[in-house]
Amino acid sequence: AQSVTQLDSQVPVFEEAPVELRCNYSSSVSVYLFWYVQYPNQGLQLLLKYLSGSTLVKGINGFEAEFNKSQTSFHLRKPSVHISDTAEYFCAVRDRLDDKIIFGKGTRLHILP
Amino acid sequence: ETGVTQSPTHLIKTRGQQVTLRCSSQSGHNTVSWYQQALGQGPQFIFQYYREEENGRGNFPPRFSGLQFPNYSSELNVNALELDDSALYLCASSLANDEQYFGPGTRLTVT
């Protein structure tokens, strides 16, 4: 069975500082990996996805993530955060042969002025 | 291109009642997935409909049921509501196994 672990429930970071949100997954099969963002009182928006190919994936709003198969990780990074990045971030995995997406519990990114 | 819409935005029900939530999929999409997001948690997969047939189900009891219509819109029905059913219900539409696009959700409160 697949599972996703987001190691930090909250991450405070100063504006314009870099940030890394950590995500580890477990799966016995090949998977697709995703990061979603959820702004207050809104649905989920896809930030980026890894399907195959290059392990460094670039997404919207200046975010990127690196797929590390040996460490089963898919950490999300941004070199300089902005106050508008305040949101909940969800890492997710999907079996290549299945349709359901398994989400982590989320990491709340709190930008400090 | 119209995005995924859900109705109502929020509602309050009493324990034991029944509720129907609605989702209109994005134009051209034939697949709808439903998720439950409890407070402080990530979304959990309830089930998926593809071309009006259930195409996968998560670990939810039978009192959670659904429908997909010929225009690919969908309903989520929950019978015999329990307090723990209070959550944000998200639907997502896609074209088969392609990327899922999420609606804004329906917040259900059960008292």
Side-chain angles (χ1 to χ4, degrees), chain A residues 42-101:
Chain A
Q42 294 188 27
L44 300 173
Q45 181 182 4
L46 182 67
L47 271 180
L48 49 79
K49 59 187 176 185
Y50 172 78
L51 304 181
S52 64
S54 173
T55 57
L56 183 63
V57 180
K58 293 191 183 296
I60 62 171
N61 301 342
F63 284 93
E64 63 180 33
E66 185 152 21
F67 169 57
N68 187 319
K69 189 175 182 179
S70 63
Q71 296 186 1
T72 60
S73 68
F74 191 54
H75 300 332
L76 180 70
R77 301 184 184 102
K78 185 169 182 177
S80 175
V81 296
H82 188 266
I83 195 75
S84 60
D85 294 323
T86 298
E88 189 93 20
Y89 291 80
F90 293 95
C91 181
V93 61
R94 199 189 100 191
D95 182 341
R96 287 174 184 248
L97 301 177
D98 200 348
D99 296 321
K100 70 178 180 183
I101 300 176

Side-chain angles (χ1 to χ4, degrees), chain A residues 11-49:
Chain A
V11 172
V13 61
F14 286 103
E15 196 169 11
E16 298 183 9
V19 69
E20 178 180 83
L21 305 184
R22 296 180 292 168
C23 172
N24 286 89
Y25 70 94
S26 68
S27 176
S28 58
V29 298
S30 294
V31 296
Y32 299 133
L33 294 161
F34 307 86
W35 275 97
Y36 287 86
V37 61
Q38 186 175 35
Y39 298 102
N41 300 314
Q42 294 188 27
L44 300 173
Q45 181 182 4
L46 182 67
L47 271 180
L48 49 79
K49 59 187 176 185

Side-chain angles (χ1 to χ4, degrees), chain A residues 36 38 41-44 46 49 90 94 96 98-106, chain B residues 35 37 40-43 45 48 55 57-58 88 90 97-100 102-104:
Chain A
Y36 287 86
Q38 186 175 35
N41 300 314
Q42 294 188 27
L44 300 173
L46 182 67
K49 59 187 176 185
F90 293 95
R94 199 189 100 191
R96 287 174 184 248
D98 200 348
D99 296 321
K100 70 178 180 183
I101 300 176
I102 307 298
F103 287 87
K105 290 188 175 183
Chain B
Y35 296 83
Q37 186 179 13
Q41 301 293 317
F45 177 76
Q48 182 184 81
N55 185 43
R57 189 178 183 92
L88 181 68
L90 297 164
N97 283 349
D98 208 348
E99 178 181 335
Q100 294 186 13
F102 284 82

Side-chain angles (χ1 to χ4, degrees), chain B residues 11-96:
Chain B
L11 73 166
I12 300 173
K13 289 286 189 177
T14 303
R15 191 170 51 182
Q17 286 187 316
Q18 178 266 343
V19 70
T20 297
L21 310 182
R22 295 178 176 82
C23 172
S24 290
S25 57
Q26 188 164 311
S27 176
H29 288 181
N30 56 14
T31 303
V32 173
S33 304
W34 285 92
Y35 296 83
Q36 180 196 65
Q37 186 179 13
L39 198 61
Q41 301 293 317
Q44 282 195 293
F45 177 76
I46 303 174
F47 45 55
Q48 182 184 81
Y49 279 83
Y50 171 68
R51 291 187 174 181
E52 302 179 58
E53 297 285 332
E54 188 177 289
N55 185 43
R57 189 178 183 92
N59 191 25
F60 280 81
R63 59 190 185 84
F64 285 77
S65 63
L67 279 174
Q68 188 178 30
F69 300 99
N71 66 354
Y72 301 131
S73 65
S74 178
E75 286 183 354
L76 165 65
N77 298 292
V78 187
N79 293 323
L81 283 167
E82 301 177 0
L83 296 179
D84 284 349
D85 295 333
S86 295
L88 181 68
Y89 288 85
L90 297 164
C91 83
S93 76
S94 60
L95 184 60

